[in-house]
Amino acid sequence: MNAAPTKVGITDILKGVATLAPDLPSMARHAPGIVLRTGETKNSIGQVFAKHAAEHPDRPFLRWHGESSSYGECNRIVNRYAAVLTERGIGVGDIVAILSKNNPTDLLMILATLKLGAVAGMINYNQRGDVIDHSMSLLGAKVLVWDPECDEAFASMSASVQPEHVLDFAALEAAADGKSTADPAVTATLPASTPAFYIFTSGTTGLPKASVMSHNRWLSNSGGIGGMSVRLRPSDTMYVALPLYHNNAVSVSLGSVLANGACIALSKQFSASKFWDEIIENRATAFSYIGELCRYLLAQPPRAVDRQHSVRVIVGNGLRPEIWDEFSERFGINRIVEFYAASESNLAFVNVFGVKKTVGFCPLPYKVVEYNSDGTPKRDANGRVTPVKKGVPGLLISEITNRIPLDGYTDPTETEKKIIRDAFKSGDSYFNSGDLVRELGFLHIAFVDRLGDTFRWKGENVATTEVEGAVTSDDAIGGAVAYGVEVPGCDGRAGMVAVTRSGEADPDPKRLADRMYADLPTYAVPLFIRFVPEFEVTSTFKNRKVELREEAYTDVGDDEVWVLKGRQDGYVPFYAEYPADVAAAKAPR
């Protein structure tokens, strides 16, 4: 009953079409833009926002702790912020680094940046030290705007990577006082191909990469996911507890809001215990999710507020088939718009027809093909890739054309690593998603797993090389191999590291945990440490990583395993109840 469907049939599609009928007029408004807009079309996110502000200035746009600000009011603040940036030399193509937790200033600064044709470089506030320095170096920003609540991340940033202009929120507000509230003239001239965001992703290996999101792709997502699938009404409010440096928030959620002139309600950060109270406080009728968010909500004790809300639709990715029905029934949410996309990809699947337990439908050209264990496509004797049969897990790849370009990363070399050349014929090119999916029919897929040298945990891609580098910085550890392991009741894969000792003594478990928390984002700190006698260092080393992942924390023989209890206790010896504690959000604490 809880398994994902093995196929999608015509009956599923017809049922979905019937449910779309009331929203067809609204959907029809978005179809021309999706079909006809090109990179040269003068269209931008700032233009869409300004249009709503001009046509409906008194309509609520932004809600914070239950208090509303209108489109007109927010537009005036955005324009004052834009004037501040202009005075500091920001123009088309320049980068503004934004380091902030969710709050109104964060969102309005993003819109100010986009109105100028500049790029919003969205810094993950979990980054520290060398990692945040690397991200700032990649951006090459002219201005950094930062939230005092991110002082720990800012303090860990080297002065050498900071731009000439650094403004905390207080300095920003002081500089914006009295500035012009007029829309910047440049906003109306921007072609859709203009880069809008740099979103940091782990990619496949190494330190974070900055994936590019153009206005064109954002607007396509806004029309396709927001306008055609989520279908908010102007009276709706989308509650967003996911960080705005995450595409689910800044693209999918904001895109759904601006598609039809709705309201966005921000939460500083997700809290399972306060979630429904904040939903009710903000009069939300929709929210965005990742799979772990849904897990945490289900792990909470049942409360009356579970159904005392007005939410009628949710949008996100990672809601696993085995909890889909339970989540829907417990919280009284019938319409779940699951989607599949990646920050650097050129396509998205979305559950427009409402087929349960799938990531939905995509009309763009893609293939599901045979793959190698390292996440690359398997080539036949002629050097071509081979599609798998419907229902068989395979590697998802998407065709790259002039009509469906790949924004990729800021680094062309990293982008090229994700492109499959001469896949089915000479001269063609495809994007390698690195993800394992099953084709279900009628252009629907179901997500299976992530391949290659990353794993996904807490809605974030974790690069194994970054984890290995942090672990081996401890003098008591000789070598490390990081990988993700499944934990029953959890989405994605939790971090596990197999390590060798550099001497006879073990590392100090509390000191090691402290180092991990200092050097890695919280979601990347490994939950399991396995001590192994040695590593294979032959050409089959990658296969050994696959074996380690399959052995996980249960099939370890005589090897010692530690688990992360939390910041206070650090690592402790493995105990049988630990996986259940992780699933119930009792560990790590």
Side-chain angles (χ1 to χ4, degrees):
M1 177 181 177
N2 289 325
T6 56
K7 65 178 181 179
V8 172
I10 186 63
T11 303
D12 298 306
I13 302 302
L14 291 176
K15 285 180 180 177
V17 170
T19 65
L20 299 177
D23 295 321
L24 286 177
S26 171
M27 295 171 68
R29 294 201 306 270
H30 296 282
I34 295 171
V35 174
L36 301 176
R37 184 179 50 251
T38 67
E40 289 71 43
T41 304
K42 298 294 190 293
N43 200 1
S44 68
I45 303 164
Q47 202 178 101
V48 171
F49 175 69
K51 185 172 184 289
H52 285 307
E55 294 178 352
H56 307 283
D58 297 325
R59 182 183 291 172
F61 167 64
L62 176 57
R63 196 163 288 143
W64 178 247
H65 297 303
E67 297 294 322
S68 301
S69 299
S70 69
Y71 270 88
E73 179 184 358
C74 289
N75 191 51
R76 290 189 288 274
I77 296 171
V78 165
N79 292 338
R80 284 197 288 268
Y81 288 171
V84 172
L85 294 177
T86 300
E87 286 184 347
R88 284 152 183 78
I90 294 296
V92 176
D94 292 325
I95 292 95
V96 177
I98 302 174
L99 172 65
S100 178
K101 293 193 172 181
N102 285 6
N103 56 60
T105 304
D106 184 16
L107 177 57
L108 299 182
M109 173 50 64
I110 290 169
L111 291 170
T113 301
L114 302 182
K115 275 197 169 192
L116 297 174
V119 184
M122 305 303 295
I123 300 291
N124 182 332
Y125 54 72
N126 291 296
Q127 295 179 355
R128 298 288 186 274
D130 290 345
V131 179
I132 200 168
D133 283 356
H134 170 80
S135 295
M136 287 298 297
S137 297
L138 275 182
L139 290 180
K142 279 190 175 181
V143 174
L144 166 64
V145 179
W146 67 282
D147 175 2
E149 295 223 13
C150 299
D151 55 347
E152 189 177 323
F154 179 75
S156 75
M157 185 190 302
S158 299
S160 60
V161 300
Q162 296 178 19
E164 177 184 355
H165 302 288
V166 178
L167 300 169
D168 65 11
F169 282 1
L172 171 65
E173 295 299 339
D177 186 40
K179 292 293 188 293
S180 171
T181 61
D183 290 321
V186 70
T187 306
T189 71
L190 298 172
S193 59
T194 306
F197 296 100
Y198 289 159
I199 305 288
F200 282 93
T201 172
S202 296
T204 53
T205 58
L207 290 164
K209 302 173 181 63
S211 65
V212 183
M213 171 70 75
S214 66
H215 286 263
N216 193 24
R217 188 153 67 94
W218 191 98
L219 291 166
S220 293
N221 287 342
S222 176
I225 297 178
M228 305 286 282
S229 304
V230 180
R231 307 192 296 276
L232 296 181
R233 302 159 188 155
S235 58
D236 279 321
T237 296
M238 169 74 75
Y239 172 79
V240 180
L242 301 173
L244 284 168
Y245 66 71
H246 199 293
N247 252 326
N248 283 42
V250 80
S251 295
V252 176
S253 302
L254 181 60
S256 296
V257 166
L258 291 183
N260 289 322
C263 180
I264 186 169
L266 294 177
S267 176
K268 184 173 70 173
Q269 59 193 43
F270 170 70
S271 167
S273 61
K274 299 176 182 177
F275 186 85
W276 295 111
D277 296 317
E278 292 191 4
I279 286 277
I280 293 167
E281 176 189 36
N282 287 290
R283 307 179 291 287
T285 55
F287 67 80
S288 55
Y289 68 85
I290 56 173
E292 279 298 299
L293 182 151
C294 299
R295 290 273 189 194
Y296 286 148
L297 292 179
L298 279 176
Q300 289 290 300
R303 299 171 59 204
V305 294
D306 287 355
R307 278 179 170 260
Q308 289 178 346
H309 56 80
S310 301
V311 173
R312 61 180 185 83
V313 58
I314 62 175
V315 57
N317 61 338
L319 181 58
R320 301 293 291 180
E322 62 268 21
I323 67 166
W324 187 298
D325 289 335
E326 181 186 0
F327 189 86
S328 174
E329 290 164 9
R330 173 172 167 181
F331 300 112
I333 299 170
N334 294 322
R335 200 151 73 80
I336 298 173
V337 184
E338 177 83 1
F339 73 89
Y340 167 90
S343 299
E344 66 275 32
S345 179
N346 63 338
L347 92 173
F349 288 78
V350 62
N351 200 13
V352 64
F353 295 108
V355 182
K356 289 185 176 183
K357 305 173 186 177
T358 77
V359 301
F361 158 89
C362 178
L364 300 177
Y366 69 89
K367 298 287 184 183
V368 182
V369 302
E370 294 182 359
Y371 62 96
N372 299 308
S373 60
D374 63 356
T376 59
K378 186 178 291 186
R379 304 248 182 190
D380 62 19
N382 297 317
R384 304 303 189 199
V385 303
T386 305
V388 299
K389 294 180 180 179
K390 186 169 71 174
V392 175
L395 177 66
L396 175 66
I397 63 175
S398 56
E399 189 172 8
I400 304 167
T401 66
N402 291 334
R403 186 70 186 172
I404 314 166
L406 179 69
D407 290 341
Y409 302 108
T410 55
D411 184 343
T413 303
E414 295 297 337
T415 301
E416 184 61 32
K417 291 177 183 178
K418 298 288 286 184
I419 297 176
I420 304 164
R421 304 284 184 185
D422 305 321
F424 299 98
K425 61 183 180 181
S426 298
D428 69 8
S429 58
Y430 282 76
F431 171 77
N432 182 354
S433 73
D435 287 331
L436 196 62
V437 304
R438 283 200 321 274
E439 191 156 16
L440 305 176
F442 287 91
L443 303 178
H444 281 66
I445 64 168
F447 179 80
V448 177
D449 203 356
R450 184 157 184 84
L451 296 168
D453 287 332
T454 66
F455 57 90
R456 198 163 180 82
W457 184 244
K458 306 295 185 189
E460 304 277 359
N461 288 339
V462 181
T464 57
T465 50
E466 182 181 342
V467 177
E468 289 162 359
V471 173
T472 53
S473 65
D474 190 298
D475 293 339
I477 292 177
V481 175
Y483 44 94
V485 295
E486 293 182 343
V487 177
C490 294
D491 295 309
R493 292 176 180 270
M496 183 166 183
V497 187
V499 301
T500 57
R501 298 171 174 85
S502 61
E504 293 186 3
D506 282 338
D508 179 272
K510 179 64 168 63
R511 188 185 67 191
L512 179 61
D514 290 344
R515 184 184 293 271
M516 296 300 97
Y517 278 116
D519 293 352
L520 294 170
T522 304
Y523 56 79
V525 176
L527 271 59
F528 302 90
I529 305 286
R530 174 181 176 180
F531 291 88
V532 298
E534 61 182 1
F535 291 124
E536 296 178 15
V537 291
T538 65
S539 60
T540 62
F541 182 76
K542 285 186 179 292
N543 291 330
R544 179 59 182 153
K545 180 180 280 193
V546 172
E547 293 168 10
L548 287 168
R549 185 172 64 223
E550 291 174 349
E551 291 167 356
Y553 46 85
T554 55
D555 187 17
V556 297
D558 295 328
D559 292 346
E560 183 180 3
V561 176
W562 291 354
V563 294
L564 182 65
K565 197 70 181 291
R567 289 181 182 270
Q568 183 172 343
D569 298 315
Y571 287 101
V572 299
F574 178 86
Y575 57 95
E577 297 79 17
Y578 183 74
D581 284 350
V582 173
K586 296 179 180 178
R589 300 300 291 267

